[in-house]
Amino acid sequence: MIRTQALTKRYGPLVAVDDLSFEVAAGTVLGFLGPNGAGKSTTMKMLAGFISPTSGQAIVGGHDVVAAPLAVKRLIGYLPEGAPSYGEMTVRQFMRFIAEIRGLAGDAGRRRLDEVSERLGLTGVQHQSIETLSKGFRRRVGLAQAIVHDPAVLILDEPTDGLDPNQKHEVRSLIRDMASDKIIIISTHILEEVDALCSRAIIIGNGRLLADDEPRRLEARSRYHNAVSLRLAERSLQAAACEALRGLPQVASVEQAEDRVTALPKAGEHILPAVAELAREQGWPLSELHLESGRLDEVFRSITTQAAP
Amino acid sequence: MNTMLIILRRELAGYFATPVAYVFIVIFLVLAATFAFYLGGFYERGQADLAPFFSFHPWLYLILVPALSMRLWAEERKSGSIELLMTLPVTLWQAVLGKFLAAWAFTALALALTFPMWLTVNYLGDPDNAAIFTAYLGSLLMAGGFLAIGACISATTKNQVIAFIMTVVVCFVFLLAGFPMVLDVFSGWAPQPLVDAIASLSFLTHFNALSRGVIDLRDVLFFALVIAAFLYANTIVLDMKKAN
């Protein structure tokens, strides 16, 4: 379990992380969201023991990160921002170095290295020096060193940054496979990733905790939650459709974006049946009709811009 | 395996994975021999000893050791790999010692490769080999002192050029601490005991005794203390950087 209490980091007058308190239980994939400079990386660095907090406390697996740093570091697998490594080493040498430091030696260690390399698709570049690899490979080397000792806590700072869509998919399924018994904290600004991966999301802005909830429930805060979007095969009908939708008593407002019309409901109303009924009555040539679950990017924007001073 | 040794081995392998090792060793050997033969007058003196060889070591180290030590921490900070190293289950001392000992072992190797000098002098005459051994020991200890200073300075910056220049300056001050060039700065205003204390820090004085073959425990202890003090300072610098 991870618990932080009033965790604070100051750099001179700048408050990077401000009075941050949260708890994470095993089996959680926690997404750290926030604009650039919000304090996501700083928080992760403090949990991983790279920098020490100015005040407050962080407990990982029962150990205080300041009082018992080694015990904490043994529990954690950490991918720093940008996935740094020793460029002059080959992938295999580097992985063996990490495994040795993590106390994985002999046959068991070698098997584990093979397994992890296989899983991350590094088998083919084993004997290439890391600095000659592409960004995506380097990121995967960083992931491999973080998971080699099968840690109870995995802290990944932007794990999919710089990966192509296939690699992203691979990394996500890797994270999902490991999620059941671990604490996994990932920072990202790819919001679809939070939807796809996280069981919980924390939004940070200016070092403060702004929201802490399940992604689904965060989406429900969106104006677009339960909104209905439709697309008409004949665009000439669009203006009339807007007019008609505004006439529905449950509809709060109607927005047009290119060829798409979105009707937003009044609080607590379900407008899909009414909209569908209206469309049938009017004989609109619908090419698309769907219910929105909410837009995380819109929630993110409204939460983080409200908080800005 | 001991964590410190794992770091030491990685560091040492790092020297040979890049041209650093080869460039350093070749330049060191060429300069050491050139100085001994041309500036030191190895043949002209007509004496079977290595004094002309060892007497240039302080100056050789003054330039070459900072070039070796500047990257120890600055490079890790620049590339970000320090974040990886410091979040592995490694103590500050294990990291500091591992890096320092790797660099020191590397200079020991470079020094050992000057053995043809020793063969030559044994071929030409009948030198005091115990004295030569003592001089080698003194040279290695002095290199360790320079390296410890350089490692500590390298930890303060992520700029290797700054680390190099600062290390050269600090090493130069330590080298000449017993000489007017440094002492004149202090003798005007500082109390005499302090001036004497500074004078006693001179690398050159302590090395000269050893290089003549006089093994005085105080000289050995001096270099050991310098190394220990700067490695301790190195851990403090790293700790301060962590807290910012």
Side-chain angles (χ1 to χ4, degrees):
Chain A
M1 200 187 72
I2 293 180
R3 194 175 76 234
T4 74
Q5 206 144 39
L7 197 65
T8 301
K9 181 70 187 177
R10 279 195 201 90
Y11 294 104
L14 179 84
V15 187
V17 174
D18 191 1
D19 197 24
L20 199 63
S21 303
F22 61 87
E23 274 186 35
V24 197
T28 309
V29 180
L30 173 65
F32 258 19
L33 304 177
N36 288 327
K40 305 182 296 273
S41 288
T42 309
T43 308
M44 291 180 142
K45 283 183 212 288
M46 283 194 280
L47 289 176
F50 180 58
I51 54 177
S52 30
T54 310
S55 64
Q57 216 184 14
I59 310 281
V60 178
H63 306 286
D64 187 300
V65 294
V66 177
L70 276 202
V72 170
K73 286 168 187 176
R74 278 192 200 102
L75 283 179
I76 290 181
Y78 176 50
L79 171 71
E81 194 178 2
S85 57
Y86 293 107
E88 79 279 4
M89 299 176 97
T90 66
V91 173
R92 189 68 180 186
Q93 286 169 341
F94 176 68
M95 289 304 295
R96 204 182 301 131
F97 165 68
I98 300 287
E100 279 172 358
I101 292 247
R102 293 290 190 183
L104 290 166
D107 277 346
R110 211 166 306 128
R111 266 200 307 279
R112 178 66 187 156
L113 283 190
D114 289 339
E115 200 181 305
V116 170
S117 303
E118 181 74 29
R119 190 68 228 263
L120 283 157
L122 293 170
T123 314
V125 294
Q126 290 283 308
H127 302 292
Q128 235 171 296
S129 66
I130 296 173
E131 63 198 356
T132 64
L133 297 176
S134 68
K135 200 176 169 194
F137 268 118
R138 271 186 248 174
R139 179 83 30 167
R140 282 187 272 166
V141 171
L143 274 164
Q145 66 76 26
I147 64 170
V148 70
H149 55 301
D150 195 22
V153 176
L154 201 52
I155 299 179
L156 308 173
D157 203 344
E158 300 189 353
T160 58
D161 188 36
L163 299 184
D164 68 36
N166 293 335
Q167 295 165 343
K168 273 184 192 161
H169 177 80
E170 271 300 304
V171 167
R172 282 178 202 161
S173 72
L174 175 78
I175 291 174
R176 230 174 277 124
D177 288 351
M178 292 189 300
S180 61
D181 55 345
K182 295 185 198 309
I183 293 178
I184 302 180
I185 302 182
I186 63 170
S187 80
T188 178
H189 28 236
I190 307 168
L191 293 165
E192 46 158 285
E193 198 151 284
V194 178
D195 256 340
L197 216 50
C198 300
S199 51
R200 190 174 146 197
I202 282 183
I203 299 181
I204 306 178
N206 294 319
R208 289 174 168 279
L209 193 146
L210 300 177
D212 177 357
D213 217 331
E214 289 171 32
R216 214 164 29 86
R217 308 231 323 238
L218 283 174
E219 281 172 359
R221 298 189 190 184
S222 165
R223 298 191 298 130
Y224 291 101
H225 182 54
N226 284 340
V228 173
S229 290
L230 52 87
R231 208 190 294 256
L232 296 172
E234 285 171 48
R235 286 193 69 163
S236 52
L237 291 170
Q238 205 163 310
C242 284
E243 231 14 78
L245 284 168
R246 279 199 192 91
L248 288 174
Q250 305 98 317
V251 169
S253 64
V254 177
E255 292 177 2
Q256 273 190 81
E258 294 174 27
D259 57 345
R260 182 197 290 263
V261 178
T262 304
L264 289 84
K266 288 183 176 149
E269 296 281 358
H270 291 275
I271 58 169
L272 183 60
V275 173
E277 180 63 34
L278 182 67
R280 197 163 38 243
E281 270 173 22
Q282 307 273 337
W284 289 337
L286 287 180
S287 61
E288 183 188 324
L289 176 71
H290 81 270
L291 181 68
E292 304 243 7
S293 61
R295 294 179 190 169
L296 205 51
D297 59 342
E298 190 249 312
V299 177
F300 175 83
R301 211 163 33 243
S302 75
I303 288 177
T304 51
T305 50
Q306 264 167 29
Chain B
M1 198 176 16
N2 183 301
T3 306
M4 193 270 284
L5 287 178
I6 299 170
I7 294 177
L8 191 159
R9 215 180 51 189
R10 196 211 73 76
E11 285 285 321
L12 206 51
Y15 289 113
F16 293 96
T18 59
V20 171
Y22 307 102
V23 170
F24 182 90
I25 287 177
V26 168
I27 300 279
F28 176 77
L29 293 179
V30 167
L31 286 183
T34 312
F35 285 175
F37 285 111
Y38 289 95
L39 298 179
F42 180 74
Y43 289 127
E44 293 79 356
R45 290 170 77 244
Q47 287 180 33
D49 67 11
L50 285 179
F53 168 64
F54 285 112
S55 63
F56 291 102
H57 280 200
W59 309 104
L60 212 49
Y61 288 151
L62 181 62
I63 300 302
L64 288 183
V65 169
L68 197 63
S69 67
M70 66 181 188
R71 46 178 294 282
L72 282 178
W73 294 99
E75 192 179 42
E76 294 236 12
R77 219 176 268 291
K78 185 92 183 171
S79 76
S81 58
I82 192 165
E83 188 166 351
L84 187 80
L85 181 64
M86 290 310 189
T87 52
L88 289 170
V90 169
T91 65
L92 278 180
W93 269 108
Q94 285 167 340
V96 166
L97 270 181
K99 276 177 172 288
F100 169 75
L101 289 178
W104 205 15
F106 179 72
T107 49
L109 173 71
L111 194 58
L113 287 176
T114 61
F115 72 92
M117 292 296 300
W118 175 73
L119 290 181
T120 306
V121 80
N122 270 282
Y123 173 75
L124 292 174
D126 184 21
D128 180 353
N129 279 321
I132 290 178
F133 177 78
T134 308
Y136 265 113
L137 176 76
S139 178
L140 186 60
L141 282 169
M142 183 172 58
F146 281 165
L147 271 177
I149 292 171
C152 177
I153 290 174
S154 176
T156 63
T157 176
K158 62 173 155 193
N159 187 321
Q160 296 194 34
V161 176
I162 292 178
F164 175 82
I165 294 173
M166 289 303 295
T167 306
V168 170
V169 168
V170 173
C171 287
F172 185 74
V173 169
F174 266 93
L175 202 53
L176 291 182
F179 296 81
M181 200 191 276
V182 170
L183 287 182
D184 285 353
V185 177
F186 296 95
S187 54
W189 53 273
Q192 193 56 37
L194 180 66
V195 177
D196 289 345
I198 291 167
S200 72
L201 290 177
S202 170
F203 273 29
L204 211 49
T205 315
H206 290 279
F207 173 68
N208 279 342
L210 286 165
S211 74
R212 282 196 307 271
V214 184
I215 194 158
D216 186 334
L217 205 58
R218 278 174 304 181
D219 294 325
V220 175
L221 203 62
F222 167 77
F223 284 116
L225 281 175
V226 167
I227 291 171
F230 275 96
L231 291 184
Y232 180 61
N234 194 342
T235 63
I236 291 177
V237 168
L238 290 174
D239 215 30
M240 277 164 54
K241 287 269 177 184
K242 188 179 169 191
N244 254 292

